[in-house]
Amino acid sequence: MKGYTTRDVASLLGLTEGQIRSYARSGFFTPARGPQNEYRFDFQDLVLLRTAAALVRARVPARKITTALAKLRDELPQGRSLTELRITAIGEDIVVSDGGAPWEPESGQFHIDFQVADFATSVEPLARGAADRAEEAPGERSADEWYTLAIDLEAVSVVEAARAYIQAIELAPDHSDARVNLGRLFHEDGRLEDAEEQYRAALDSSENAFAAYNLGLILENRREIIEALSAYERAVAADPNLADAHFNLARLHEATGDARSAIRHFNAYRLLTQRKPGRR
């Protein structure tokens, strides 16, 4: 189950337990339930509630908070660590950025600014406590619960996150999302062969766009251009909206002299990035 109780979150964020339950009931996110039907929260829930706390302190009307958070929830990336994100509200715009240009989930009159990585430091004791409880009774968690815990742990310890992804995979070898995220951790650590093994295993069980895209990055790094093209094509077949894969396909097709394919993928990339400014 998710690791953080209502009391934990209230203490961390300076909200009342009643406020947290109210936001949970509002429907802008869906916390899990514990064995006694109590709310249990994950790190993404905490990011949303951290934003809510800032808006409450800025005296933003409750209706605007709920609307802003619902839109922010829809924009947060799923299935990966959020620690690279920065969330700000300046003038009339809530702005989320991931190192590139920002995108804007909602308008309103308030001002907040926080780095999710800095916030993760505050959450660290809660995340470590959840990891310790999980290690004490590993058989009580499902593969999906280990996967969710692993995403939370990425904000605290890559080593512990990798162990949690491995637990998920041991319970469900075909859990492609867990394999993709474990592969990404290996990839970022320079363990390219281990990363490739996880991406290929993920693709054996499902047409996972991110597994194919990340595999393409490794193949391109090895200058296996034909194989990289095939991997990127597999990525856009699984998710035609994966703009970065279109961009890499366009670039490689241009380099190999296939102008027609290069133009087609550049056009797809432009269309996707113009439709949602700041995101690729």
Side-chain angles (χ1 to χ4, degrees):
M1 70 185 69
K2 296 182 180 182
Y4 312 126
T5 67
T6 301
R7 179 176 296 180
D8 290 335
V9 177
S11 175
L12 175 70
L13 299 179
L15 293 169
T16 69
E17 292 184 33
Q19 285 173 313
I20 291 169
R21 293 189 187 98
S22 176
Y23 291 130
R25 289 192 298 268
S26 72
F28 73 81
F29 68 104
T30 307
R33 294 282 188 166
Q36 298 179 352
N37 204 38
E38 75 278 14
Y39 287 125
R40 306 290 295 211
F41 302 91
D42 65 12
F43 188 69
Q44 177 159 311
D45 298 336
L46 264 60
V47 169
L48 291 163
L49 287 165
R50 165 65 176 79
T51 307
L55 300 183
V56 167
R57 286 193 292 272
R59 298 182 180 180
V60 175
R63 178 183 57 79
K64 275 186 169 289
I65 293 175
T66 299
T67 301
L69 293 176
K71 293 186 177 181
L72 175 57
R73 171 207 62 200
D74 293 340
E75 297 296 341
L76 291 178
Q78 300 296 313
R80 68 174 178 84
S81 174
L82 306 180
T83 54
E84 296 179 358
L85 300 182
R86 179 177 184 175
I87 299 174
T88 60
I90 303 172
E92 297 186 350
D93 300 315
I94 287 183
V95 180
V96 182
S97 58
D98 60 359
W103 63 96
E104 302 172 1
E106 173 59 357
S107 294
Q109 296 292 335
F110 33 78
H111 185 124
I112 62 174
D113 187 352
F114 75 94
Q115 297 275 6
V116 175
D118 295 338
F119 175 55
T121 301
S122 301
V123 180
E124 179 175 350
L126 299 183
R128 288 196 183 278
D132 290 343
R133 291 191 295 274
E135 291 291 345
E136 290 170 2
E140 294 182 3
R141 287 178 180 260
S142 69
D144 283 340
E145 287 168 344
W146 277 108
Y147 170 72
T148 299
L149 175 63
I151 292 173
D152 285 2
L153 287 171
E154 284 198 41
V156 175
S157 168
V158 170
V159 172
E160 291 181 14
R163 287 169 58 188
Y165 284 129
I166 289 168
Q167 289 277 10
I169 291 165
E170 287 179 351
L171 289 170
D174 60 349
H175 199 305
S176 63
D177 289 337
R179 287 192 178 277
V180 169
N181 282 7
L182 179 60
R184 174 173 49 76
L185 295 184
F186 289 153
H187 201 155
E188 292 169 355
D189 194 39
R191 297 168 56 182
L192 299 187
E193 289 185 3
D194 291 333
E196 181 178 354
E197 179 182 353
Q198 293 301 323
Y199 297 149
R200 290 190 183 279
L203 288 167
D204 285 343
S205 60
S206 72
E207 287 301 303
N208 188 301
F210 291 106
Y213 174 77
N214 290 345
L215 177 61
L217 294 176
I218 290 176
L219 293 168
E220 186 179 350
N221 185 63
R222 290 206 304 252
R223 301 187 184 280
E224 298 176 10
I225 302 305
I226 301 304
E227 292 80 359
L229 281 167
S230 178
Y232 291 139
E233 289 285 5
R234 193 169 178 180
V236 298
D239 181 4
N241 294 322
L242 191 54
D244 283 345
H246 284 290
F247 181 84
N248 286 358
L249 280 165
R251 182 171 47 76
L252 292 183
H253 279 306
E254 184 177 49
T256 57
D258 186 350
R260 184 187 298 272
S261 295
I263 291 171
R264 175 165 56 86
H265 286 291
F266 269 128
N267 286 340
Y269 171 76
R270 287 196 199 96
L271 179 63
L272 290 167
T273 54
Q274 288 170 2
R275 191 166 56 197
K276 186 163 287 192
R279 300 191 72 181
R280 294 168 66 180

